Amino acid sequence: MRVYVPLTLSGLAEAYKTGELEAGPFVAYAVTPALREWYLSDDIEELEYAALSRAALASLRLLAVDPGVARRRVVVAVDVPDRAAVADPDRGLDPEALGEVRVSGAVPLAKAAAVHVDSGDAEEDVAAAAGALGAADVGDDDAQFIVDGAEDHELLWFATQEIPNLVGLGD
């Protein structure tokens, strides 16, 4: 199963240093039955993009609680055994949990298929979105507009061989 792990650039640097994404269990995003039902699509590429987008929002949440890290969302796409990633059946179609899975064990960074990172052009909008996230969560429409501004930036695709160059961005 392909899962999308939300990180920050400093989190990616730590994963590169240790060779593991997370020790587990940890939250990632994937094409779950609830995500399929919510998006009403059978197109796997659309569903994978939806899971990636959910992980990008989770990365934004990581940025919101750590003002010291570079203002770029980071998502690592990694393949894990199906049994290692489980959706919480109790959360069903809860919009906050769409696509969310818990990965039970450590995941070697070597299993990563790709890394998705914001470009430098997105930093200002991502920083503003991280600052507005709390207000958007409680229904502030202006803050939600700012958060949506970050979502307008597509994450760039990087091969795993480029991780050493990427982690240099966070210094």
Side-chain angles (χ1 to χ4, degrees), residues 77-101:
V78 62
D79 295 317
V80 299
D82 287 349
R83 67 188 176 284
V86 179
D88 183 350
D90 294 334
R91 294 193 67 188
L93 291 177
D94 174 1
E96 297 298 316
L98 285 175
E100 189 177 288
V101 294

Side-chain angles (χ1 to χ4, degrees), residues 10 15 27 29 46 74 86 94 96 109 112 117 131 156-158 162:
S10 61
V27 173
Y29 294 82
E46 284 180 26
V74 176
V86 179
D94 174 1
E96 297 298 316
L109 187 58
V117 181
L156 302 177
W157 181 94
F158 293 92
E162 297 176 273

